[in-house]
Amino acid sequence: ITSPVAFDILPLKLHPFSQSTPTGLDCVGWKRRISPPVITDGALDKTALMDDVGSEEDLYEDFRSSNHRYGHPGGGGEQLAINELISDGSVVYAEALWDHVTMDDQELGFKAGDVIEVMDATNKEWWWGRILDSEGWFPASFVRLRVNQDEPMEDYPLKVEGGKEDDSRRFGMGQTTKDQMRTNVINEIISTERDYIKHLKDICEGYIKQCRKRADMFTEEQLKTIFGNIEDIYRCQKKFVKALEKKFNKDHPHLSEVGSCFLEYQTEFQIYSEYCNNHPNACMELSRLTKVNKYVYFFEACRLLQKMIDISLDGFLLTPVQKICKYPLQLAELLKYTNPQHRDFKDVEAALNAMKNVARLINERKRRLENIDKIAQWQSSIEDWEGEDVLVRSSELIYSGELAKISHPQAKSQQRMFFLFDHQLVCCKKDLLRRDILYYKSRINMDDMEILDVEDGKDKDFNISVKNAFKLHCRDTEEVHLFCAKKPEQKQRWLKAFENERRQVQLDQETGFSITEVQKKQAMLNASKQHHAGKPKAVTRPYYDFLMRQKHPTLPTTLPQQQVFMLAEPKRKPSNFWQNISRLTPFRK
């Protein structure tokens, strides 16, 4: 995982002649061009450690060569072990995770699920392998080592005409190849959960417990920043593992029905959202503390007392981020080896979708939290702001644009800029000279409003003719606000935006999304610091453009270059201002 915050997946450095187009699922479940590393829960990808967490290479290599079964191919001790096996004459198999499509004769093409005999793994990123009679190079990160290397090659699912698996070849005890693969996946899920629980226990008892004893070194606020809600995650995961083990059939693991466990805990897994959102703050705080030697020695002493593997604290704190991203991958593999007739099939299928939704929700919350900084900066750019901050009630800009607002009693029309957030509609006025400067005018509480579509023609309430109009009607006070758009399509976009606003509010209530007071205050504080850094309020164009979502007009390519320059810098008419002033009698000498 290249960025534990954005949940992106490590891109592959493609061979110069490769035209591979790998597609896979990131933690949100979207398709994208990726080549994700396959990592053990708790194990860390080398690039991730160096780029994001800053752990040293030797710590990483020691950890990679530990007894974890699945690291990213080509990493440290595992790569050496693979080469030793090959040189000793052993046969090493890997299973393809993604399609590898290539037009180069020296590369080995395959599809997801194919089994490849690894013949040379000396290169870190490109291995040499064989499928049947074909040999060639293939990207190491497209495969994972086979779950059980002791199984002979011929025991893997055979392909027959039509692309269907031949399950006629069976293991002892009447177990099909697919059942054996399901057994392996179930065993992996159970074992990695147990490993993960041990990691969480080590963090809670080895670090947090010791830190709390040193009030002279750590405040509770610092500990909350560094460790987030990892203790809540630990409690949740302990219950989850117990539920998994109850469903685990030790005698016949392939008959285990674990899908229901994921469905039962899908809501509780949403606590990972808070942890993932806080993780960047944890990294920054740790980075600051470890510049002081006494903290470095203290954290190392904690690790040694708990007899933890040789990796730094920031590495351990990355494991929950990795874990929540790995569940959809594990469930996808489990579904692959679950027959539709299996009693667990429907639950596994539903669990896969549920865990994708959990990961998607976490990413969405991350995006929302990033947006609150932009909203705070936008508010700091508004002149004459009155009342509470936008972030007190809102966290998402739904839509914005210019409308004519018609007010009682004279039915006076005023052109205003409106910004629709969840729960409120903010009204601003443009500066007459500097059109990028906005002045706060008012706001409307959307929770009390109903939207009324108004037909073109004479409006009875305001006794005027209107076009492209709609109303906001307050249910409590019977107050009515009339708005007119310039074009019919603009009106429709606003009506759709009001629907989206109500939908967003309802979704937030259902999922329990909220922004903490600390996050709100921090966002406003950051915006205030930027504002007072010497920049005038007018220099807020990036945030203004972000909120306005304005589209710049594109010039036709047929225009000569000279005309383009003229358009870019239009000539202004000479002002008659001073000539008119000089004619005024009071100013004459």
Side-chain angles (χ1 to χ4, degrees):
I1 297 177
T2 304
S3 170
V5 180
F7 311 123
D8 287 333
I9 298 181
L10 180 66
L12 173 71
K13 294 181 179 178
L14 290 177
H15 189 278
F17 302 103
S18 173
Q19 297 188 17
S20 306
T21 56
T23 58
L25 292 173
D26 65 3
C27 79
V28 191
W30 296 327
K31 289 272 186 176
R32 63 166 62 170
R33 293 168 61 89
I34 57 172
S35 57
V38 182
I39 51 182
T40 306
D41 300 323
L44 306 178
D45 176 79
K46 183 172 183 178
T47 309
L49 275 168
M50 296 303 293
D51 292 347
D52 288 308
V53 199
S55 297
E56 295 179 0
E57 185 171 353
D58 56 338
L59 294 178
Y60 168 79
E61 292 298 341
D62 289 343
F63 182 53
R64 300 289 298 131
S65 58
S66 66
N67 61 354
H68 289 264
R69 291 181 297 165
Y70 305 118
H72 180 253
E78 185 181 17
Q79 186 182 1
L80 180 62
I82 294 170
N83 285 318
E84 285 179 357
L85 284 171
I86 294 172
S87 61
D88 290 342
S90 300
V91 181
V92 177
Y93 293 116
E95 182 183 0
L97 291 170
W98 289 274
D99 295 352
H100 180 227
V101 183
T102 176
M103 297 176 65
D104 183 18
D105 294 338
Q106 289 190 336
E107 291 185 25
L108 183 67
F110 49 74
K111 292 186 176 181
D114 287 350
V115 178
I116 304 150
E117 180 184 350
V118 181
M119 305 175 69
D120 183 2
T122 52
N123 186 285
K124 194 172 185 179
E125 296 180 357
W126 287 85
W127 291 355
W128 184 269
R130 175 170 57 198
I131 300 178
L132 299 177
D133 297 329
S134 302
E135 293 186 13
W137 294 104
F138 63 92
S141 55
F142 273 45
V143 301
R144 66 177 295 164
L145 294 182
R146 220 171 92 178
V147 177
N148 190 352
Q149 288 290 337
D150 296 331
E151 296 170 19
M153 176 67 177
E154 56 268 19
D155 281 338
Y156 256 70
L158 299 178
K159 300 288 181 180
V160 296
E161 290 185 11
K164 295 181 179 179
E165 288 183 6
D166 181 8
D167 278 339
S168 60
R169 188 182 299 276
R170 293 178 175 269
F171 290 89
M173 304 298 292
Q175 197 177 66
T176 65
T177 304
K178 201 166 187 178
D179 288 342
Q180 179 59 36
M181 288 303 298
R182 191 175 200 273
T183 294
N184 296 334
V185 176
I186 290 286
N187 286 333
E188 182 191 355
I189 290 174
I190 298 295
S191 65
T192 53
E193 282 300 318
R194 288 168 179 166
D195 288 343
Y196 179 49
I197 281 292
K198 185 179 184 306
H199 283 309
L200 294 176
K201 180 182 178 182
D202 287 342
I203 293 170
C204 293
E205 296 184 3
Y207 284 102
I208 300 178
K209 193 174 180 180
Q210 296 298 331
C211 289
R212 287 200 173 117
K213 293 178 181 178
R214 297 299 305 268
D216 58 316
M217 293 178 67
F218 303 95
T219 65
E220 274 300 321
E221 187 177 346
Q222 278 181 310
L223 294 181
K224 181 66 177 176
T225 301
I226 295 171
F227 298 101
N229 62 333
I230 200 166
E231 291 175 301
D232 295 334
I233 291 175
Y234 178 39
R235 285 188 285 270
C236 172
Q237 290 295 147
K238 281 196 295 185
K239 292 188 292 182
F240 178 64
V241 168
K242 286 181 181 178
L244 275 180
E245 289 177 339
K246 284 181 181 178
K247 296 289 186 178
F248 179 54
N249 188 326
K250 294 180 181 178
D251 297 328
H252 303 289
H254 69 284
L255 297 177
S256 301
E257 300 175 26
V258 299
S260 59
C261 298
F262 288 92
L263 291 174
E264 182 184 349
Y265 281 84
Q266 60 176 310
T267 304
E268 293 192 46
F269 282 146
Q270 291 178 14
I271 62 173
Y272 277 86
S273 175
E274 181 182 338
Y275 185 86
C276 294
N277 291 331
N278 178 70
H279 188 261
N281 300 328
C283 292
M284 286 190 290
E285 183 65 19
L286 270 180
S287 177
R288 188 181 68 83
L289 291 179
T290 51
K291 290 176 182 177
V292 182
N293 283 336
K294 73 172 182 178
Y295 287 98
V296 177
Y297 299 146
F298 177 81
F299 289 139
E300 179 63 8
C302 291
R303 185 188 69 79
L304 293 172
L305 283 171
Q306 191 67 16
K307 298 179 181 179
M308 299 166 72
I309 56 177
D310 192 4
I311 192 169
S312 57
L313 175 57
D314 47 13
F316 281 111
L317 294 179
L318 183 61
T319 54
V321 179
Q322 293 176 313
K323 185 62 182 177
I324 199 65
C325 292
K326 188 173 181 182
Y327 280 138
L329 299 175
Q330 286 182 321
L331 288 168
E333 190 172 17
L334 181 61
L335 185 64
K336 176 182 174 183
Y337 297 115
T338 303
N339 286 314
Q341 296 78 23
H342 197 292
R343 289 173 56 179
D344 200 25
F345 182 83
K346 288 185 177 180
D347 281 347
V348 172
E349 191 175 42
L352 174 58
N353 291 326
M355 294 312 297
K356 285 180 184 177
N357 287 334
V358 169
R360 188 180 293 113
L361 176 65
I362 291 172
N363 272 10
E364 172 64 13
R365 289 184 173 183
K366 176 64 186 172
R367 183 191 66 80
R368 294 278 293 278
L369 283 176
E370 289 171 349
N371 275 351
I372 69 171
D373 287 325
K374 296 185 177 74
I375 293 172
Q377 290 164 1
W378 169 81
Q379 181 184 316
S380 69
S381 73
I382 305 297
E383 299 283 355
D384 301 338
W385 186 269
E386 295 178 8
E388 64 184 17
D389 296 330
V390 176
L391 293 179
V392 171
R393 303 190 62 220
S394 306
S395 61
E396 177 88 346
L397 176 73
I398 310 295
Y399 192 69
S400 64
E402 201 164 358
L403 291 168
K405 182 183 179 184
I406 302 170
S407 305
H408 275 309
Q410 295 89 6
K412 182 181 177 182
S413 176
Q414 296 173 316
Q415 206 69 19
R416 295 285 183 261
M417 280 299 308
F418 289 92
F419 298 86
L420 178 61
F421 297 90
D422 51 312
H423 299 288
Q424 59 185 314
L425 179 68
V426 178
C427 172
C428 295
K429 177 184 177 182
K430 285 185 177 181
D431 187 90
L432 291 175
L433 299 177
R434 293 288 302 274
R435 305 300 283 174
D436 58 336
I437 295 181
L438 296 174
Y439 295 89
Y440 174 86
K441 301 306 291 182
S442 63
R443 76 180 88 192
I444 297 173
N445 182 4
M446 293 305 300
D447 294 339
D448 300 332
M449 295 293 165
E450 62 176 341
I451 291 84
L452 304 175
D453 191 355
V454 179
E455 294 182 358
D456 292 350
K458 192 164 186 177
D459 180 73
K460 295 179 180 179
D461 293 333
F462 287 79
N463 198 29
I464 58 170
S465 295
V466 295
K467 192 175 182 180
N468 307 321
F470 60 87
K471 291 179 183 177
L472 295 182
H473 172 247
C474 181
R475 303 180 188 91
D476 297 334
T477 64
E478 297 299 326
E479 185 181 4
V480 178
H481 304 274
L482 178 63
F483 302 90
C484 293
K486 291 181 180 179
K487 298 178 181 178
E489 53 268 27
Q490 290 177 345
K491 171 187 170 179
Q492 293 304 317
R493 283 196 288 267
W494 272 105
L495 293 177
K496 184 67 176 176
F498 288 122
E499 290 180 14
N500 293 338
E501 185 269 339
R502 286 293 90 190
R503 192 179 298 116
Q504 183 70 65
V505 169
Q506 184 179 356
L507 182 63
D508 288 347
Q509 290 173 347
E510 291 173 356
T511 59
F513 175 81
S514 63
I515 300 172
T516 65
E517 291 300 319
V518 174
Q519 290 167 332
K520 294 174 186 177
K521 289 178 181 178
Q522 188 61 47
M524 294 306 300
L525 182 63
N526 293 340
S528 177
K529 286 179 180 178
Q530 289 189 13
H531 172 59
H532 292 296
K535 294 182 178 180
K537 283 199 174 184
V539 188
T540 55
R541 195 72 203 180
Y543 309 115
Y544 182 77
D545 287 341
F546 165 79
L547 292 166
M548 297 280 290
R549 298 191 179 102
Q550 290 180 336
K551 294 183 178 179
H552 297 284
T554 55
L555 294 172
T557 55
T558 53
L559 282 176
Q561 190 174 14
Q562 185 60 36
Q563 288 181 266
V564 172
F565 285 133
M566 290 174 66
L567 282 171
E569 298 183 21
K571 291 182 178 179
R572 295 174 181 263
K573 292 182 179 180
S575 173
N576 296 324
F577 178 78
W578 292 110
Q579 289 88 332
N580 293 336
I581 286 292
S582 64
R583 293 193 189 101
L584 296 175
T585 305
F587 289 92
R588 290 180 181 176
K589 291 183 180 179

